[in-house]
């Protein structure tokens, strides 16, 4: 009996090891293939235009002139505007919730913010068109903007900011929560105000995590297609405006100008490219975008690495002080020293107390304001979609195809969203287990880096990839291709969140498990994974709700059809397609369907969030009882 | 011990699930290959110019399910050439590169299926009467040379109109579009500057303004901004009640014409001799009542294809140019002239041979 058990144990361990390594290598393999295919497809353009592609500003398909500068400009500018708005807002809201607000409020508030993070980008685009554009038009006109149509980089940046801020907030919140209580207690004990505690202890401690979240969000902003394409004006140009400063006229980029981003131009032009050269140039643009995300990620990693090295600074100083205090001294000297130090502190506190208190109050209000500002769009979007959606929702919507309903598209979306996790979730979780259980492996940095890159790979590029390796050989759009693209997008999200979750599992659990004679597989699957499950599940929900609302990758892979899907090998309808196009056509009956579709999609995503969260809370309660 | 068994079970379940899914795929694949078990459904897409009448046709036609996706002419042609669709629709004739890619002029058929007008639409709520334009003025507007609505060039054509001092926002198509092709071809025909700097194309480099995909997208762009101007197929202009359609000077320079069934019909009536390729232009047709910016939508199809699909497409084309014509007036498309219908019927034979 013991022998058999041993064999089984070894066999289990082997399987586990194999599964982890295999899953971990799927990401790098996919990325390699993706880059290889993109390079292959863009080779004609690369050989013809060479480096001029990167500095030419002219994009003229009929004359076969292709320069990428206007699109790179548009992409970077919109993302910069978005980050400029989202980063302070997100950090303010996160610290407000984790440090200031009462626990009782923080949890539901975080839940709301996570709902905001789950809203599909196409609905943000909707909101942009129907709400932000009309709002900005008179404002821009009032300040005398050159382009007062309300469509341009500024609008795109705002929509993007609202889109990425919730994600930034929720990660920052988790990171702030993970700051050890002792750090806060130490700061408070030394007489800091709450704001001093936040700015000097919590934020520096949490900074690497916040930076990581920022760059993930930046990746999302850089690669966002639909929400941007709907509001940016799609004009490939670099427009400057002149400001007559006292020192003479200054040219600076016009933020209000219409522009185009790399993903938006791919979405607009790739499907209907005039020539093979244009198609090739568009794919090269995609390649350039991938490189930009790669650079952004490398910079991010460098920053995180540096700040994580700089991070122990605070405790070091602390320890240094302790060391001086503990140096063997004559008791009298020690007492005098202590008195002196105490006096200094008291005086310092007395001198700056009112100022610090004022700053503290101001910052508290500001952070609370940031939090409210973040929640505002949520209610706005929910109210807007619910109001117009409910009016047009009826039974026929679920049971028939156009022009009466979108039942076929609901079925198609469910099919693909159901298929995708079968591919994405196991690979994601086993990759995470690989990262946490085989830390000494040389592959770890590679897998993590590739995960980061895949995570920030624009969905539209994944769409091109899935199109090339599945649609092209099958000669038809299909649910398989769509599900593959979606599954590929899930991997990095699941992997990253699972890894973070596994990291937070106390080391003592692992040690205890090994001490009881458990194998690696047993420890990982029976102890660590269950302990990390709630957070893992949150990651899976995030990924599912993210892909459920995807439009860009499905445009190239699932195709669309106005009929009920008959098999997985045929063009498959999906909800976001109808939401996007029916909303922009200005026909009342189609708009009705679009709004009903948006409501159904939103409800689906919300129910998903609520339901799986409920299960996760049950599970964690059970786990707590087991302890 | 217990958990090992349960993991095993999970593994087994996983393998079974994979097998099941693979089975689903395989099973369905076989059905497809035979082609008989799946009811004939022809997949097409492309031009949004023809979208409204196509929607009526596919609803009324009982022969087969016609799946038409409005994705823009450029996409329609590309997907057809890649073999991903059974037919494509384009309001720009195929380029030599396309024909070469398809395998020569005999490998492909271009069948005129609908005709219509491209109309300048603008958003100036305070003006009641339609504005008059000439091709030159339109070219200058789309070139960005005329930037205000009260520009002398416009007011000269519209003596009575109280033109506002509003900026002009030019709205155009962002995607590969046959409507853009018709529009830019017309501007090229009229304005030498346009021909030199921009030219006729499905995806020209627009000098100024904003862009959106599809006819309806342009209509929405124009509708969202006072002072905007764009161009769309006639039915899209008529369905947007808040927008106004401009009149354009006819080829004879005798009158300013608004697009309508009558004026497009007058332009189409000029079609007397039709080339065997069925490719022709309807721009600047002579005649007092001929609307100058008319175009054709071609259904493009590869001659080599499965017999059942070819029959289905043939059936649909015969329906569209026959009984389907009765629905055209509803969406303001002119009837195809008799000569053309006869010619199309004569050219359908190589399909599926």
């Amino acid at each position: 009996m013991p022998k058999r058990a041993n064999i089984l144990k070894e066999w289990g361990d082997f399987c586990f090891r194999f599964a982890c390594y295999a899953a971990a290598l799927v990401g790098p393999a996919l990325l390699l293939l993706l880059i290889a295919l993109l390079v292959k497809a863009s080779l004609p353009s690369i050989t013809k235009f060479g480096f001029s592609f990167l500095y030419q500003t002219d994009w003229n398909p009929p004359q076969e002139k292709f320069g990428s500068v206007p699109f790179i400009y548009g992409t970077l500018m919109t993302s910069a505007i978005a980050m400029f708005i989202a980063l302070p807002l997100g950090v303010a809201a996160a610290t407000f919730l984790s440090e200031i607000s009462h626990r009782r409020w923080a949890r539901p508030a975080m839940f709301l913010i996570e709902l905001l993070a789950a809203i599909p980008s196409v609905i943000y685009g909707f909101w942009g068109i129907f709400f932000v554009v009309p709002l900005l038009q008179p404002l821009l006109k009032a300040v005398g903007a050159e382009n007062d149509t309300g469509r341009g980089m500024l609008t795109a940046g705002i929509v993007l900011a609202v889109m990425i801020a919730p994600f930034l907030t929720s990660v920052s919140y988790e990171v702030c929560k993970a700051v050890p209580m002792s750090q806060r207690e130490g700061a408070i004990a030394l007489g800091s105000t709450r704001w001093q505690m936040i700015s000097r202890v919590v934020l520096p401690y949490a900074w690497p995590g916040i930076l990581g979240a920022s760059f993930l969000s930046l990746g999302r902003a850089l690669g966002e297609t639909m929400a941007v394409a709907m509001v940016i004006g799609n004009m490939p140009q670099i427009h400057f405006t002149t400001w007559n400063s006292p020192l003479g006229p200054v040219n600076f980029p016009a933020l209000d100008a219409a522009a185009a981003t790399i993903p938006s131009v791919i979405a607009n032009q790739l499907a209907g490219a005039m020539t093979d050269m244009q198609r090739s140039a568009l794919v090269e643009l995609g390649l350039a975008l991938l490189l930009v995300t790669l650079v952004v990620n490398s910079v991010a990693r460098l920053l995180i690495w540096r700040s994580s090295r700089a991070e122990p600074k605070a405790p070091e100083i602390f320890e240094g002080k302790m060391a001086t205090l503990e140096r063997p001294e004559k008791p009298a000297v020690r007492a005098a020293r202590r008195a002196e130090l105490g006096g200094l502190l008291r005086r310092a506190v007395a001198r700056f107390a009112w100022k610090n208190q004022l700053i503290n109050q101001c910052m508290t209000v500001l952070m609370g304001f940031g939090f409210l500002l973040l929640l505002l769009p949520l209610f706005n979007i929910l109210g807007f979609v619910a109001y117009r959606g409910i009016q047009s929702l009826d039974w026929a919507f679920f049971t028939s195809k156009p022009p009466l309903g979108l039942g076929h598209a609901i079925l198609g979306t469910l099919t693909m969203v159901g298929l995708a996790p079968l591919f994405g979730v196991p690979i994601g979780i086993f990759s995470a287990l690989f990262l946490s259980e085989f830390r000494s492996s040389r592959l770890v940095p590679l897998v993590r880096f590739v995960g980061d890159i895949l995570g920030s790979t624009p969905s539209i590029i994944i769409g091109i990839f899935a199109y090339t390796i599945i649609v092209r050989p099958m000669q038809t759009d299909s649910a398989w291709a769509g599900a593959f693209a979606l599954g590929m997008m899930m991997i990095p999200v699941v992997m990253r969140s699972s890894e973070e979750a596994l990291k937070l599992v106390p080391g003592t659990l692992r040690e205890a498990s090994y001490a009881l004679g458990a194998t690696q597989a047993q420890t990982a699957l029976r102890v660590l994974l269950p302990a990390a499950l709630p957070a893992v599940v949150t990651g899976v929900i995030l990924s599912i709700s993210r892909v459920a609302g995807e439009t860009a990758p499905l445009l190239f892979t699932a195709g669309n059809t106005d009929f009920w899907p008959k098999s997985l090998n045929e063009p498959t309808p999906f909800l976001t397609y109808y939401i996007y196009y029916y909303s922009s056509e200005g026909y009342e009956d189609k708009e009705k369907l679009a709004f009903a579709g948006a409501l159904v999609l939103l409800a689906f995503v919300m129910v998903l969030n609520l339901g799986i969260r409920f299960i996760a809370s049950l599970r964690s309660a059970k786990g707590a009882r087991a302890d | 011990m217990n958990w090992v068994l349960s993991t095993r079970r999970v593994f087994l379940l996983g393998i079974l699930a994979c097998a099941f899914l693979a089975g689903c795929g395989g099973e369905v694949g076989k059905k497809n290959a035979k082609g008989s078990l799946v009811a004939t459904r022809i997949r097409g897409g492309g031009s949004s110019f023809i979208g409204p009448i196509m929607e009526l046709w596919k609803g009324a036609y009982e022969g087969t399910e016609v799946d038409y996706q409005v994705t823009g002419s450029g996409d329609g042609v590309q997907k057809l050439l890649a073999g991903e669709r059974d037919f494509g629709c384009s309001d720009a004739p195929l380029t030599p590169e396309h024909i070469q890619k398809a395998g020569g002029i005999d490998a492909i058929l271009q069948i005129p299926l609908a005709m219509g007008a491209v109309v300048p639409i603008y958003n100036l709520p305070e003006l009641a009467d339609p504005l008059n334009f000439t091709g030159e003025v339109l070219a200058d507007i789309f070139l960005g040379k005329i930037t205000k609505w009260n520009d002398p060039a416009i007011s000269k054509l519209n003596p009575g109109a109280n033109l506002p001092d509003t900026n002009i926002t030019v709205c155009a198509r962002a995607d590969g579009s046959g409507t853009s092709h018709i529009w830019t071809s017309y501007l090229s025909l009229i304005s030498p500057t346009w021909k030199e700097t921009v030219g006729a194309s499905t995806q020209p480099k627009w000098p100024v303004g904003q862009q959106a995909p599809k006819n309806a997208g342009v209509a929405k762009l124009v509708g969202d901004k006072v002072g905007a101007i764009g161009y769309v197929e006639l039915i899209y202009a008529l369905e947007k009640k808040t927008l106004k359609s401009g009149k354009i000077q006819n080829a004879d320079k005798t009158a300013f014409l608004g697009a309508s069934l009558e004026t497009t019909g007058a332009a189409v009536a000029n079609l007397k001799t039709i080339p065997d390729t069925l490719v022709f232009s309807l721009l600047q047709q002579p005649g007092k009542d001929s609307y100058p910016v008319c175009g054709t939508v071609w259904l493009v199809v590869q001659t080599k294809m499965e017999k059942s699909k070819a029959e289905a497409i043939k059936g649909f084309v015969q329906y569209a140019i026959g009984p389907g014509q009765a629905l055209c007036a509803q969406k303001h498309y002119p009837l195809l002239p008799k000569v053309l219908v006869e010619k199309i019927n004569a050219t359908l034979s190589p399909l599926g041979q």
Side-chain angles (χ1 to χ4, degrees):
Chain A
M1 180 62 196
K3 209 175 173 188
R4 189 167 169 252
N6 270 341
I7 290 169
L8 279 177
K9 269 185 185 174
E10 274 169 26
W11 174 237
D13 245 19
F14 173 76
C15 282
F16 174 71
R17 215 171 252 273
F18 180 76
C20 285
Y21 269 91
L25 287 176
V26 167
L30 282 177
L31 186 69
L32 214 65
L33 195 61
L34 188 149
I35 294 177
L37 285 176
L38 284 190
V39 169
K40 189 181 162 236
S42 48
L43 218 52
S45 154
I46 293 174
T47 47
K48 184 160 181 202
F49 304 112
F51 276 108
S52 74
F53 186 77
L54 292 176
Y55 61 78
Q56 284 295 331
T57 53
D58 197 18
W59 181 268
N60 195 334
Q63 294 180 12
E64 294 230 328
K65 282 185 191 160
F66 299 107
S68 63
V69 177
F71 305 109
I72 292 178
Y73 169 82
T75 310
L76 293 181
M77 285 299 280
T78 46
S79 299
I81 297 171
M83 288 309 287
F84 186 76
I85 302 172
L87 188 60
L89 216 63
V91 173
T95 42
F96 178 80
L97 288 175
S98 83
E99 308 301 324
I100 296 172
S101 74
H102 193 280
R103 239 217 167 117
R104 204 188 305 154
W105 301 114
R107 284 195 61 184
M110 267 327 290
F111 178 65
L112 283 179
I113 285 179
E114 269 160 30
L115 285 189
L116 193 55
I119 295 176
S121 65
V122 71
I123 292 183
Y124 281 104
F126 234 32
W127 177 72
I129 282 189
F130 287 105
F131 185 79
V132 183
V133 168
L135 190 76
L136 280 179
Q137 267 187 13
L139 288 178
L140 287 169
K141 198 162 193 174
V143 299
E146 202 176 331
N147 169 22
D148 56 2
T149 55
R151 284 173 213 247
M153 291 195 293
L154 187 64
T155 322
I158 292 173
V159 171
L160 280 178
V162 174
M163 198 177 95
I164 60 176
F167 174 69
L168 225 161
T169 311
S170 81
V171 179
S172 304
Y173 173 79
E174 297 297 333
V175 174
C176 287
K177 272 284 166 212
V179 174
M181 219 32 168
S182 59
Q183 295 282 329
R184 295 193 184 88
E185 286 161 358
I188 297 286
L190 283 173
S192 358
T193 60
R194 196 155 51 181
W195 166 243
Q196 284 170 323
M197 175 196 86
I198 291 171
S199 64
R200 296 185 191 168
V201 177
V202 176
L203 285 181
Y205 201 99
W207 193 237
I210 294 177
L211 257 186
S214 310
F215 278 95
L216 274 183
S217 318
L218 180 61
R220 213 181 149 190
L222 286 172
E224 176 52 39
T225 311
M226 296 340 259
V228 170
M230 286 160 99
V231 296
I232 198 169
N234 297 308
M235 178 76 189
Q237 63 174 359
I238 301 174
H239 196 70
F240 283 88
T241 175
T242 312
W243 176 52
N244 290 314
S245 75
L247 296 169
V250 184
N251 280 324
F252 64 95
L255 294 185
D256 57 305
T261 66
I262 294 178
S264 75
V265 74
I266 294 177
N268 280 329
Q269 298 194 349
L270 186 63
M274 292 171 62
T275 56
D276 286 343
M277 191 53 78
Q278 186 187 358
R279 188 193 291 264
S280 175
L282 285 165
V283 177
E284 194 183 348
L285 271 182
L287 195 64
L289 181 62
L290 195 63
L291 287 180
V292 170
T293 44
L294 206 128
V295 168
V296 164
N297 257 282
S298 308
V299 171
R301 292 191 69 78
L302 200 72
L303 278 174
I304 293 170
W305 178 70
R306 275 187 56 184
S307 60
S308 68
R309 259 170 39 123
E311 177 225 334
K313 224 194 235 160
E316 254 168 39
I317 294 166
F318 213 67
E319 276 159 24
K321 278 213 179 112
M322 297 293 275
T324 52
L325 285 177
E326 278 163 16
R327 215 182 294 152
E329 281 166 325
K330 281 177 191 159
V333 178
R334 203 188 298 160
R337 226 177 158 62
R338 274 189 183 164
E340 189 194 350
L341 205 73
L344 264 174
L345 257 175
R346 254 199 308 280
R347 255 173 284 153
V349 168
R351 197 161 157 199
F352 294 113
W354 68 271
K355 218 175 184 178
N356 287 336
Q357 284 305 331
L358 188 70
I359 293 175
N360 183 31
Q361 305 280 336
C362 287
M363 292 315 289
T364 305
V365 170
L366 266 181
M367 284 188 283
F369 185 67
F371 164 69
L372 284 181
L373 213 59
L374 194 69
L375 276 191
L376 214 63
L378 172 73
F379 289 105
N380 195 308
I381 294 172
L382 287 182
F384 173 66
V385 172
Y387 173 71
R388 297 215 30 194
I390 284 175
Q391 291 175 339
S392 34
L393 206 58
D394 53 14
W395 186 240
F397 178 81
F398 295 98
T399 54
S400 44
K401 57 186 176 61
L404 290 174
L406 294 177
H408 72 309
I410 295 176
L411 179 68
T413 295
L414 284 179
T415 312
M416 288 187 285
V417 170
L419 282 175
L422 295 182
F423 167 58
V425 169
I427 291 176
I429 289 182
F430 273 95
S431 302
L433 280 171
F434 172 81
L435 290 178
S436 79
E437 295 312 298
F438 300 92
R439 281 177 215 187
S440 54
S441 167
R442 268 189 222 153
L443 288 174
V444 165
L446 173 80
V447 171
R448 198 171 287 147
F449 185 58
V450 166
D452 281 355
I453 295 177
L454 271 185
S456 50
T457 298
S459 58
I460 194 155
I461 289 183
I462 290 180
I464 297 176
F465 175 61
Y467 170 81
T468 319
I469 67 166
I470 299 187
V471 176
R472 242 15 220 287
M474 280 178 79
Q475 283 225 335
T476 174
D477 299 320
S478 65
W480 293 117
F484 172 76
L486 298 184
M488 197 169 150
M489 296 184 60
M490 292 178 77
I491 295 175
V493 186
V494 174
M495 180 174 115
R496 201 182 167 85
S497 58
S498 305
E499 194 206 346
E500 293 297 325
L502 286 167
K503 255 194 210 159
L504 291 178
V505 176
T508 47
L509 273 181
R510 184 183 281 118
E511 285 157 17
S513 169
Y514 282 130
L516 286 171
T519 63
Q520 197 172 24
Q522 284 171 322
T523 308
L525 298 175
R526 298 276 287 173
V527 178
L528 302 179
L529 206 53
L533 200 67
V536 171
V537 168
T538 310
V540 172
I541 305 162
L542 250 178
S543 68
I544 288 183
S545 56
R546 186 177 158 192
V547 300
E550 270 302 339
T551 317
L554 296 180
L555 282 178
F556 298 141
T557 52
N560 193 47
T561 165
D562 288 338
F563 295 96
W564 288 91
K566 280 184 187 155
S567 83
L568 300 176
N569 296 341
E570 281 184 15
T572 306
F574 52 102
L575 258 185
T576 45
Y577 178 92
Y578 289 98
I579 297 174
Y580 174 48
Y581 282 120
Y582 275 14
S583 69
S584 67
E585 296 196 354
Y587 294 110
E588 208 173 313
D589 47 342
K590 287 186 174 178
E591 247 176 39
K592 270 188 170 178
L593 287 184
F595 273 99
L599 182 62
V600 168
L601 181 65
L602 214 52
F604 173 70
V605 169
M606 304 281 130
V607 165
L608 209 71
N609 267 279
L610 287 166
I612 303 187
R613 242 153 193 279
F614 179 66
I615 294 168
S617 71
L618 277 187
R619 188 68 193 246
S620 64
K622 230 187 193 172
R625 232 180 292 138
D627 287 343
Chain B
M1 186 62 209
N2 197 19
W3 79 267
V4 176
L5 288 178
S6 71
T7 342
R8 239 201 217 155
R9 229 177 283 151
V10 171
F11 264 106
L12 255 173
L13 271 178
I15 291 167
L16 283 178
C18 288
F20 172 67
L21 282 173
C24 285
E27 190 71 17
V28 174
K30 263 180 237 155
K31 271 187 200 167
N32 259 3
K34 274 185 211 160
S36 52
L37 286 173
V38 181
T40 348
R41 173 188 294 176
I42 46 177
R43 289 179 294 145
S47 161
S48 59
F49 191 108
I50 200 175
I53 183 66
M54 198 58 111
E55 209 155 297
L56 285 189
W57 281 342
K58 74 184 189 189
Y61 182 53
E62 283 163 354
T64 37
E65 287 183 337
V66 180
D67 186 8
Y68 186 80
Q69 293 299 312
V70 173
T71 49
S73 296
D75 177 66
V77 173
Q78 291 294 344
K79 284 237 161 72
L80 170 83
L81 294 179
E84 288 160 24
R85 283 204 188 118
D86 303 321
F87 72 92
C89 283
S90 169
D91 19 342
L94 295 185
T95 63
E97 190 187 323
H98 289 146
I99 291 173
Q100 191 197 344
K101 224 174 156 185
I105 192 80
D106 295 329
I108 210 148
L109 278 183
Q110 301 185 65
I111 307 161
L113 217 54
M115 294 165 172
V118 180
V119 181
I121 49 169
Y122 56 88
N123 186 349
L124 288 174
E126 63 263 47
L127 291 185
D129 296 325
L131 288 178
N132 295 334
F133 296 100
T134 59
E136 288 88 355
V137 165
L138 284 172
D140 282 349
I141 290 175
F142 276 76
L143 280 168
K145 284 184 182 167
I146 296 177
T147 57
K148 291 265 185 196
W149 277 105
N150 59 359
D151 191 280
I154 304 179
S155 45
K156 209 172 86 187
L157 300 174
N158 300 281
N162 184 20
L163 289 163
D165 179 34
T166 316
N167 285 332
I168 298 180
T169 308
V170 174
C171 303
R173 288 282 289 269
D175 51 340
S177 147
T179 310
S180 293
H181 184 264
I182 296 170
W183 187 245
T184 52
S185 298
Y186 170 70
L187 295 183
S188 293
L189 214 58
I190 301 282
S191 154
T193 332
W194 182 273
K195 194 175 179 183
E196 264 166 44
T197 52
V198 184
S201 167
T202 52
Q203 269 185 18
K205 185 195 176 189
W206 298 103
V208 288
Q210 305 217 328
Q211 296 160 38
K214 301 191 189 178
N215 265 307
V218 172
K220 187 161 173 56
L221 265 191
V222 176
D224 282 356
K225 178 76 183 92
V226 172
I229 185 167
Y231 58 92
V232 291
E233 204 277 331
L234 174 59
I235 184 71
Y236 292 91
L238 293 176
E239 279 173 352
K240 282 268 173 185
K241 295 281 183 292
T242 51
L243 300 181
K244 302 215 174 57
S245 318
K247 291 179 171 177
I248 302 186
Q249 196 175 43
N250 62 6
D252 302 352
K253 301 202 172 179
T254 49
F256 290 94
L257 297 176
S260 67
L261 258 181
E262 292 75 41
T263 52
T264 46
V268 169
N270 278 309
L271 218 55
K272 296 278 162 25
T273 51
I274 295 155
D276 288 337
T277 52
L278 298 180
V279 174
F280 48 83
S281 165
L282 288 175
L283 292 172
Q284 286 284 69
Q285 290 295 324
K288 190 173 151 288
D289 295 323
S290 301
Y291 185 75
V293 199
C294 291
T296 311
V297 185
W298 286 273
L299 180 142
V300 188
V301 65
Q302 282 178 322
T303 46
K304 247 190 205 158
M305 59 157 54
E306 277 171 50
K307 191 121 194 167
S308 59
K309 286 245 160 113
E311 287 303 321
I313 290 180
K314 217 187 267 182
F316 177 66
V317 169
Q318 276 160 351
Y319 163 78
I321 60 175
Q325 290 291 304
L327 297 171
C328 278
Q330 213 175 322
K331 293 284 176 188
H332 300 264
Y333 292 86
L335 296 183
L336 298 181
K338 271 222 174 78
V339 252
L340 185 60
V341 173
E342 279 160 17
K343 196 116 189 177
I344 293 171
N345 272 323
T347 40
L348 277 178
S349 54
L351 252 186
Q353 296 303 306

